[in-house]
Amino acid sequence: MVLFRRLLGDVLRTKRMRQGRTLREVSAEARVSLGYISEIERGQKEASSELLASICAALDVPLSEILAEVSDAVALEEAAMAVAVDEATAPAKGLTTTALPPGAASGGARSGDVVASAA
């Protein structure tokens, strides 16, 4: 299961660390307790829209940018979960899964795509 709060925390932590800022600095500027921001970054607490807006302002990053990055991370995790489910159920369906080698892509498939074929 994809946890939005965990992915949101990962994105916020990455933004903060790329800026070379500490939790204490962001906490003071956002006027949110250090412990609460830490819990948000670790995916242990949900951030309200007001709190998230305050953290984004402290990081000088648009909320839309944070949400877009979280959305991309959710999509990647969902895709990875779908592949894992497909690989787990393929033998029961009489299918095998194979990753295409580089340069072997044809049709709509791309290099590195996972494809299913009848056994």
Side-chain angles (χ1 to χ4, degrees):
M1 173 170 59
V2 177
L3 283 180
F4 181 85
R5 70 176 184 253
R6 183 181 56 79
L7 297 174
L8 173 63
D10 290 345
V11 169
L12 290 172
R13 181 184 312 106
T14 298
K15 289 287 185 192
R16 178 181 58 78
M17 293 179 77
R18 283 188 181 152
Q19 293 178 7
R21 304 200 40 212
T22 65
L23 275 172
R24 188 172 308 285
E25 292 168 339
V26 174
S27 167
E29 194 169 330
R31 296 179 184 223
V32 177
S33 77
L34 185 140
Y36 201 76
I37 289 182
S38 175
E39 288 179 310
I40 290 169
E41 283 191 0
R42 288 181 282 139
Q44 295 176 336
K45 294 284 185 186
E46 298 278 351
S48 69
S49 57
E50 293 87 358
L51 183 69
L52 187 54
S54 181
I55 294 169
C56 288
L59 292 171
D60 196 30
V61 177
L63 176 61
S64 59
E65 183 178 321
I66 297 295
L67 293 177
E69 288 188 31
V70 173
S71 178
D72 291 345
V74 168
L76 286 173
E77 285 213 8
E78 287 175 337
M81 287 173 49
V83 168
V85 168
D86 287 347
E87 288 177 349
T89 59
K93 295 177 182 175
L95 302 173
T96 59
T97 57
T98 310
L100 292 175
S106 62
R110 296 182 308 238
S111 178
D113 282 355
V114 175
V115 296
S117 60

